Amino acid sequence: MDDLQNINSSWLGSTLSSDNSFLRYLNSTEEYLAHLCGPKRSRLSLPMTLVYAVIFLVGVSGNMLVCLVILKHHNMRTPTNYYLFSLAVSDLLVLLIGMPLEVYEMWSNYPFLFGPWGCYFKTVLFETVCFASILSVTTVSVERYVAIMHPFQAKLKSTRRRALRILITLWIFSILFSIPNTSTHGIELQNFPNGSLIPDSATCTVIQPMWIYNCIIQVTSLLFFVLPMGVISVLYCLMGIKYMDVAASN
């Protein structure tokens, strides 16, 4: 026991002698936790909260109006508007659930009070709505391309039932692809130099090795950013060429 205490004392003494600035973080638990995790409250918490409040009011009112108009008026339930409805729903999920969590973390970066499942839910929510929005925009671009380049096929195939099946598939696909990144997150607890846990130090962050997280980010960036942007760019270029050909012939 005495040998263990001597080892701990020598380790702590060597740490303090190698970095005298470390001494000031031992005055209180709050200061030491701030040294490890950064400030508990963001310096931009107040101005960003005001900006988020404006975005929240405008976004919620605008997207709610889109959803209400499509749901209330039967003639507005077109395949294209179904995709717009999906985009509005994904925006509302971010505004009503995700944004309050973001504002809360700006004012209180730690401790994370919602536990592991709250951390998983937060991560999967942002991943899912992001992927669903990108896929919905890409699908709208494909529908427009078919309507312009192959109008007769568009009239036959572009139905509300088909649009609903596509949207359900897109959301399921988005949820499935949000799981890998979600699995890398969890609750991280900080420790004192002696190994004991620091109270109120729980944070929702990446707990798996960073190389796994980086690989997942690279794959999802390719699938949900590079490829959709490439598809959308090619389709709109082809539609632009078609438009110029029609204008030249007229």
Side-chain angles (χ1 to χ4, degrees), residues 93 120-121 123-133 135 167-183 220 224:
L93 288 174
Y120 299 149
F121 174 77
T123 308
V124 78
L125 171 68
F126 281 104
E127 291 284 301
T128 300
V129 297
C130 179
F131 295 160
S133 298
L135 293 177
L167 285 174
I168 293 173
T169 303
L170 293 183
W171 278 91
I172 294 176
F173 193 71
S174 300
I175 293 173
L176 292 176
F177 270 85
S178 69
I179 293 175
N181 188 22
T182 304
S183 65
T220 53
F224 294 95

Side-chain angles (χ1 to χ4, degrees), residues 5 36 76 85 104 111 131 160 162 167 207 246:
Q5 291 178 349
L36 295 176
M76 294 296 293
F85 183 86
Y104 168 78
F131 295 160
R160 288 179 293 180
R162 176 174 174 269
L167 285 174
I207 60 174
V246 172

Side-chain angles (χ1 to χ4, degrees), residues 196-213:
S196 60
L197 291 177
I198 303 177
D200 298 330
S201 64
T203 55
C204 176
T205 186
V206 177
I207 60 174
Q208 298 297 327
M210 287 304 298
W211 70 268
I212 298 178
Y213 174 76

Side-chain angles (χ1 to χ4, degrees), residues 2-12:
D2 294 336
D3 293 338
L4 181 61
Q5 291 178 349
N6 292 333
I7 293 174
N8 290 334
S9 300
S10 61
W11 175 86
L12 183 60

Side-chain angles (χ1 to χ4, degrees), residues 36-183:
L36 295 176
C37 303
K40 185 174 184 179
R41 173 182 168 184
S42 173
R43 297 178 181 178
L44 300 176
S45 56
L46 180 58
M48 288 304 300
T49 300
L50 296 177
V51 173
Y52 276 20
V54 174
I55 296 175
F56 180 87
L57 294 174
V58 176
V60 169
S61 58
N63 286 289
M64 284 293 293
L65 287 174
V66 171
C67 294
L68 290 175
V69 168
I70 295 175
L71 292 175
K72 187 175 182 180
H73 300 281
H74 191 271
N75 61 334
M76 294 296 293
R77 298 178 188 177
T78 63
T80 300
N81 286 344
Y82 276 17
Y83 298 121
L84 296 179
F85 183 86
S86 174
L87 287 170
V89 169
S90 64
D91 289 342
L92 285 173
L93 288 174
V94 173
L95 292 168
L96 295 176
I97 302 177
M99 184 173 288
L101 288 174
E102 287 291 314
V103 173
Y104 168 78
E105 288 189 349
M106 284 192 298
W107 287 87
S108 182
N109 189 34
Y110 48 82
F112 188 81
L113 301 179
F114 306 103
W117 288 105
C119 182
Y120 299 149
F121 174 77
K122 171 193 170 184
T123 308
V124 78
L125 171 68
F126 281 104
E127 291 284 301
T128 300
V129 297
C130 179
F131 295 160
S133 298
I134 294 171
L135 293 177
S136 297
V137 171
T138 306
T139 305
V140 170
S141 301
V142 173
E143 293 285 338
R144 288 179 178 177
Y145 170 80
V146 174
I148 293 175
M149 306 296 288
H150 309 284
F152 294 106
Q153 290 185 1
K155 290 183 179 180
L156 294 175
K157 295 182 178 181
S158 183
T159 62
R160 288 179 293 180
R161 181 174 296 180
R162 176 174 174 269
L164 283 175
R165 288 199 301 265
I166 292 175
L167 285 174
I168 293 173
T169 303
L170 293 183
W171 278 91
I172 294 176
F173 193 71
S174 300
I175 293 173
L176 292 176
F177 270 85
S178 69
I179 293 175
N181 188 22
T182 304
S183 65

